[in-house]
Amino acid sequence: MKPSKTLTLIAAAFVLACSAYAQSVDEIVNKHIAAMGGRDKLKNMETMYTEGIMEMRGMEIPIKLWVVNDKAVRMEFEVMGSNNIQVVTRNGGWMQMPFQSPEPKEMDSGMVRAMQPRLDLAGELYDYKSRGRTVTLEGKETTAGVEAYKLKVINENGSVTHLFVDANTYYIDKIESRVSAQGQEMDIATMLSDYKKTDNGYVYPALTTQEPIGSKISVTKVEVNKPVDESLFKMPGK
């Protein structure tokens, strides 16, 4: 066979392999979206309010979370009688942590990037291409007897996340990410479980644990598409 024909066949095989690979990624993504309530449900999500309890270092900390889709997220948690606030938007973030300082201050850019994926109520995989993200399949891994697809997600801000999609349920079982704040970096593994469904059909994980932080969050209340006062996301004056 002539070298030119050989190269042509190799090139064709490469294109076919890439096409099949991309198709398998989209198949996984589509099954995940269906498992989470379906494309129409996720598309119509505008706001979410969540309450829960975070257990960490022997403490039980009440937390609240408000999200306006693709715009802003606010998290509040009580520590030693003080209410602490973290807010992130597409353009930045701020925080008010009385146990550190009574004054609100701008959030570290690394923390902003780490929290920005929370802005997408439909999840990082929903319409990922139009949102400027890249998703690739890195194979399968088995953890605690559960087989999962390992997806690498490169977000529009350049941050990288690994999502582990259960091969049976197509729920996300684990998220691996790197957080950078104040010159320090930490690899965090977030495990998601005990999936439940809201009255309007949206599916969410009711139990979240994080390592090496050693925290566990149990969700006690979820409200979808209820009005949210957007003044919650404005940084108060000093």
Side-chain angles (χ1 to χ4, degrees):
M1 184 178 292
K2 294 182 179 180
S4 59
K5 289 185 177 181
T6 302
L7 290 173
T8 300
L9 289 172
I10 292 173
F14 178 75
V15 170
L16 288 173
C18 289
S19 298
Y21 192 70
Q23 185 178 10
S24 66
V25 169
D26 286 338
E27 184 179 5
I28 294 167
V29 169
N30 289 336
K31 288 183 178 180
H32 164 69
I33 290 171
M36 296 303 293
R39 184 169 295 276
D40 290 340
K41 292 284 186 186
L42 299 183
K43 180 181 178 180
N44 293 324
M45 290 186 65
E46 297 178 356
T47 67
M48 178 180 283
Y49 171 70
T50 304
E51 290 182 5
I53 299 294
M54 179 168 61
E55 298 177 38
M56 185 171 62
R57 298 176 183 176
M59 297 186 296
E60 291 191 351
I61 303 170
I63 62 171
K64 297 178 181 179
L65 190 74
W66 293 262
V67 183
V68 176
N69 189 42
D70 207 32
K71 290 184 179 180
V73 56
R74 175 187 175 111
M75 182 169 67
E76 293 185 6
F77 56 96
E78 295 181 21
V79 177
M80 295 182 290
S82 65
N83 191 44
N84 298 270
I85 302 169
Q86 294 179 332
V87 171
V88 167
T89 68
R90 283 293 175 198
N91 301 316
W94 58 272
M95 55 197 293
Q96 189 169 18
M97 315 280 277
F99 70 91
Q100 293 180 347
S101 171
E103 302 293 340
K105 63 179 182 179
E106 298 292 335
M107 186 178 289
D108 181 276
S109 60
M111 289 185 64
V112 171
R113 286 194 298 272
M115 290 183 64
Q116 279 178 334
R118 289 175 178 249
L119 300 177
D120 294 327
L121 288 176
E124 291 180 84
L125 297 178
Y126 178 82
D127 277 354
Y128 69 89
K129 294 176 184 177
S130 66
R131 293 172 179 266
R133 297 174 184 147
T134 302
V135 179
T136 55
L137 174 60
E138 295 193 334
K140 283 185 176 181
E141 289 192 10
T142 301
T143 304
V146 176
E147 191 176 52
Y149 297 102
K150 183 179 181 180
L151 301 181
K152 179 181 180 180
V153 181
I154 302 177
N155 294 288
E156 61 271 33
N157 62 13
S159 63
V160 176
T161 304
H162 284 95
L163 306 179
F164 294 79
V165 180
D166 190 307
N168 294 312
T169 64
Y170 287 90
Y171 296 149
I172 294 176
D173 289 337
K174 182 170 68 170
I175 302 172
E176 291 181 346
S177 57
R178 173 166 290 187
V179 176
S180 177
Q182 299 178 345
Q184 295 184 336
E185 292 188 346
M186 177 185 295
D187 291 321
I188 295 179
T190 302
M191 279 65 70
L192 312 174
S193 60
D194 191 20
Y195 277 83
K196 296 182 179 180
K197 185 179 292 188
T198 65
D199 293 338
N200 63 349
Y202 176 75
V203 178
Y204 66 94
L207 183 62
T208 302
T209 60
Q210 285 189 322
E211 296 296 344
I213 298 174
S215 65
K216 180 173 74 172
I217 298 176
S218 301
V219 174
T220 57
K221 182 178 181 179
V222 174
E223 293 181 346
V224 176
N225 290 341
K226 296 292 182 68
V228 173
D229 186 353
E230 296 198 20
S231 67
L232 288 170
F233 309 108
K234 294 182 180 179
M235 184 174 175
K238 295 183 179 181

